[in-house]
Amino acid sequence: MSTPRRYHITTFGCQMNKADSERMAGILEDLGYIWSEEANDADLVLYNTCTIRDNAEQKVYSYLGRQAERKRQQPDLTLIVAGCVAQQEGESLLRRVPELDLVMGPQHANRLADLLTQVEAGSQVVATEEVEIAEDITQPRRDSTITAWVNVIYGCNERCTYCVVPNVRGREQSREPAAIRAEIEQLAAQGYREITLLGQNIDAYGRDLPGSTPEGRHLHTLTDLLYYVHDVPGIERIRFATSHPRYFTERLIRACAELPKVCEYFHIPFQSGDNDVLKAMARGYTVERYLRIVEQIREIIPDAAISADAIVAFPGETEEQFENTLKLVEQVGFDLVNTAAYSPRPGTPAANAPDQLSEEVKQDRLQRLNHLVAQMAADRSQRYLGRTEEVLIEATNPRNPQQVMGRTRTNRLVFCDGTIAQLEGQLVPVRITETRAFSLTGQILSPVAAGC
C-alpha cells in the first residue's frame, strides 16, 4: 500500500488569498493528499502569492528558491505557484524558476485537480488566461471550525493607479445569491457560527448579475444579499469586506442596524486624506464624501467600529498632503488602520510617475502614521473598559495556554481565562478589565466559565 502524498500551502496576502488556499487545500485532500506542517516534508508545495507590495513578492522568490533547490535532489516534488504573482508573471516565472510544474492565476483555483492531471502527464502548465469562474463546488479545508470566509464576488473593475489587483484577479464576477446561501447553510450544518462575505470590492456585488427594477435599481446588491442570507439558522454573526467609499450606501448601513446578526464593524479603505492624492490614485471619491460616510455610520450605529487602509508616500505626495492623512485619522478616530508605504507595481500608471519618493521619506511617514494609528486605537479601546461584550471564542491564546481568545462583534480581539475544550465556538459575555490599542482582556461572566 503506497504512502499518501503530503502537501503544504503557504499563503501570502489578503483574505481572498486565504479563502483561495482553503479551497485548493480541499481539492488536494479530495485527491488523497494529506496536510504537512513543514514545506520540506511535503511532496507537493504550493505558494499562493500576493503582488500588492514588492516585499511580499520578494519573499515568495526566496521561499521558491529553496524548494527549487530541493526539487533538483527530489524530482518527484510537485512545485506550484498560484495567486497574483503567478498571474502577473505567467510564463516568465518558468524562465526564472524552471523547476516549477504549475503556474496558476487566482481565477483557476477551482481547476487545481484538472491542472494537476496535466502536470502528472508530464506537462509544465501555465494557467493565466481569463476564465468564467465556475460555481464553487469544492469543499474547502478551512483553517477554523468556528468562522469561515464565503466568496461572493471575484475580481475588480476599479482602476486605482497604484493597484495591480484588476490585472491579476480579472473582472468582477458575482456569485448567484442562491449558491451563496447554500454554502452558508452547509457551513451552519457543520457548526460554523460566523461568516465573512468576501469581495475585493464587495459593494460592487450583483451589478454584473442579470435583473433590475423598472426604476433601474439592481435586484442584487450587497444589501439585498444580507437580507437574503440573514436568517440561516445556526449562523450567529455575519461580516463583510472590503468596502469601497465610491459605492458604499446609507441603505447598507441601515440594513446593518436592522439585521441582528450583522456585526457593527465596517472596513472602508480611505487610502489618503488629501483630495489631490485621491484624484491621482483614481479612487473616485473625496475626503468630504468619506467623512459623510463615517458621519452616517456614527449617526445610525453609534458604537460601530470602523477600520481602513491607508497608503503613505504615493508618488508626488507632499508633506502637507501627508499631514492631511494624519488629520483624517485623528478626525475619524479609527479602531484600526492597515498602513503601507507606497510600493510601485508593474503595469500600473503610478509606477511610471516621475515623482517617486525616497525610501527614507516612505519609512518616516509610515512610522509617524503608525504611531498616530496606535494612539487613536488605544483611545477607541478605552470605551470597552468595564463593559460586558459578547465574545465568540475561537482558539487558545498562543502566548498563554491558560487563556482563550475571540472577538467582539466590533472585531476587537479579547483574551480571557478559560479552556478551549469547554468554550470553543461559544458566544460568551465577557466583562472587559484591561484595554490595549488592538486587543482587550476580560473575565467571562457566563456560568460556563465556572469550571475553567
Side-chain angles (χ1 to χ4, degrees):
M1 187 175 168
S2 62
T3 310
R5 280 172 66 80
R6 297 166 69 81
Y7 77 95
H8 176 86
I9 297 178
T10 298
T11 307
F12 302 85
C14 67
Q15 296 166 327
M16 299 291 286
N17 265 18
K18 290 172 188 166
D20 289 346
S21 288
E22 289 183 346
R23 282 155 52 219
M24 290 189 287
I27 291 169
L28 290 169
E29 296 198 354
D30 281 349
L31 294 172
Y33 284 81
I34 59 172
W35 167 253
S36 168
E37 198 67 45
E38 291 295 326
N40 289 335
D41 297 335
D43 306 291
L44 181 151
V45 175
L46 188 155
Y47 293 114
N48 192 10
T49 59
C50 171
T51 184
I52 287 287
R53 285 188 274 283
D54 186 58
N55 57 356
E57 196 173 320
Q58 294 314 314
K59 196 183 281 189
V60 171
Y61 287 121
S62 165
Y63 283 33
L64 202 48
R66 293 197 285 273
Q67 292 304 320
E69 192 175 321
R70 187 175 152 228
K71 179 157 179 154
R72 289 193 284 274
Q73 313 301 319
Q74 297 169 240
D76 286 347
L77 172 65
T78 302
L79 201 49
I80 302 171
V81 174
C84 297
V85 172
Q87 184 69 32
Q88 179 179 279
E89 301 299 322
E91 285 190 18
S92 68
L93 258 176
L94 297 185
R95 292 193 289 275
R96 186 165 177 172
V97 187
E99 293 80 4
L100 277 169
D101 296 289
L102 172 58
V103 174
M104 53 184 287
Q107 294 187 28
H108 295 265
N110 293 359
R111 298 185 58 230
L112 179 57
D114 295 339
L115 297 171
L116 278 176
T117 302
Q118 296 174 46
V119 168
E120 285 158 10
S123 299
Q124 200 176 29
V125 181
V126 177
T128 53
E129 67 279 9
E130 182 154 348
V131 293
E132 290 288 334
I133 298 175
E135 179 48 46
D136 190 357
I137 54 169
T138 59
Q139 297 296 312
R141 175 196 184 274
R142 299 188 187 266
D143 289 339
S144 166
T145 56
I146 312 300
T147 66
W149 317 111
V150 177
N151 287 92
V152 302
I153 180 171
Y154 302 101
C156 181
N157 290 359
E158 299 305 298
R159 286 290 165 186
C160 304
T161 57
Y162 55 84
C163 185
V164 76
V165 165
N167 300 343
V168 293
R169 283 197 170 266
R171 62 187 168 80
E172 290 167 0
Q173 296 184 53
S174 300
R175 292 176 66 196
E176 291 286 346
I180 295 166
R181 185 178 168 104
E183 182 178 349
I184 295 169
E185 286 172 346
Q186 186 181 46
L187 287 166
Q190 292 167 351
Y192 284 86
R193 310 297 303 277
E194 176 181 299
I195 55 153
T196 301
L197 306 178
L198 275 189
Q200 213 76 46
N201 175 10
I202 199 161
D203 301 270
Y205 173 77
R207 63 183 177 186
D208 58 320
L209 294 175
S212 60
T213 65
E215 298 80 31
R217 189 174 74 76
H218 287 292
L219 284 173
H220 308 296
T221 66
L222 175 60
T223 306
D224 298 317
L225 183 66
L226 288 174
Y227 280 105
Y228 179 63
V229 303
H230 183 267
D231 63 346
V232 173
I235 300 298
E236 300 293 339
R237 288 181 175 181
I238 299 171
R239 303 184 189 277
F240 56 89
T242 294
S243 290
H244 193 302
R246 189 193 294 196
Y247 307 105
F248 196 89
T249 65
E250 184 179 335
R251 183 170 173 257
L252 176 61
I253 305 169
R254 294 198 180 280
C256 295
E258 203 173 285
L259 296 169
K261 292 182 184 180
V262 179
C263 293
E264 301 80 11
Y265 174 73
F266 299 90
H267 183 71
I268 317 170
F270 64 87
Q271 305 301 8
S272 172
D274 184 86
N275 284 337
D276 288 338
V277 175
L278 287 173
K279 190 173 181 182
M281 289 176 165
R283 288 291 287 169
Y285 56 86
T286 61
V287 172
E288 291 72 23
R289 159 78 180 139
Y290 190 89
L291 289 172
R292 278 198 301 277
I293 290 170
V294 172
E295 191 182 335
Q296 286 176 330
I297 291 171
R298 297 236 160 109
E299 185 183 311
I300 297 166
I301 312 175
D303 197 45
I306 303 173
S307 65
D309 300 338
I311 296 169
V312 301
F314 185 78
E317 180 188 72
T318 65
E319 173 64 22
E320 185 183 359
Q321 289 171 329
F322 167 66
E323 285 173 9
N324 285 338
T325 292
L326 296 180
K327 282 177 194 165
L328 178 63
V329 169
E330 202 158 7
Q331 188 172 350
V332 171
F334 289 98
D335 291 78
L336 170 70
V337 181
N338 301 317
T339 62
Y342 169 74
S343 177
R345 307 314 301 134
T348 60
N352 300 318
D355 40 6
Q356 304 287 327
L357 301 180
S358 69
E359 282 305 311
E360 290 75 15
V361 169
K362 288 180 181 181
Q363 290 312 308
D364 172 64
R365 289 182 184 174
L366 187 59
Q367 199 171 1
R368 286 156 65 194
L369 178 58
N370 285 342
H371 178 74
L372 178 61
V373 165
Q375 197 180 320
M376 301 310 294
D379 289 349
R380 289 290 289 163
S381 274
Q382 283 293 316
R383 74 191 198 274
Y384 294 108
L385 192 61
R387 274 177 25 178
T388 298
E389 291 290 314
E390 177 194 84
V391 176
L392 176 59
I393 303 298
E394 295 178 44
T396 300
N397 179 355
R399 294 182 179 176
N400 180 353
Q402 308 306 312
Q403 288 187 328
V404 291
M405 61 185 192
R407 291 186 180 272
T408 65
R409 289 175 61 91
T410 52
N411 212 34
R412 266 292 192 271
L413 188 60
V414 180
F415 301 101
C416 42
D417 291 344
T419 58
I420 198 65
Q422 275 191 301
L423 296 167
E424 188 176 26
Q426 293 199 37
L427 287 161
V428 295
V430 176
R431 187 169 59 79
I432 304 303
T433 55
E434 190 182 335
T435 69
R436 291 170 295 280
F438 305 111
S439 64
L440 310 167
T441 298
Q443 183 180 3
I444 296 174
L445 301 181
S446 164
V448 78
C452 296

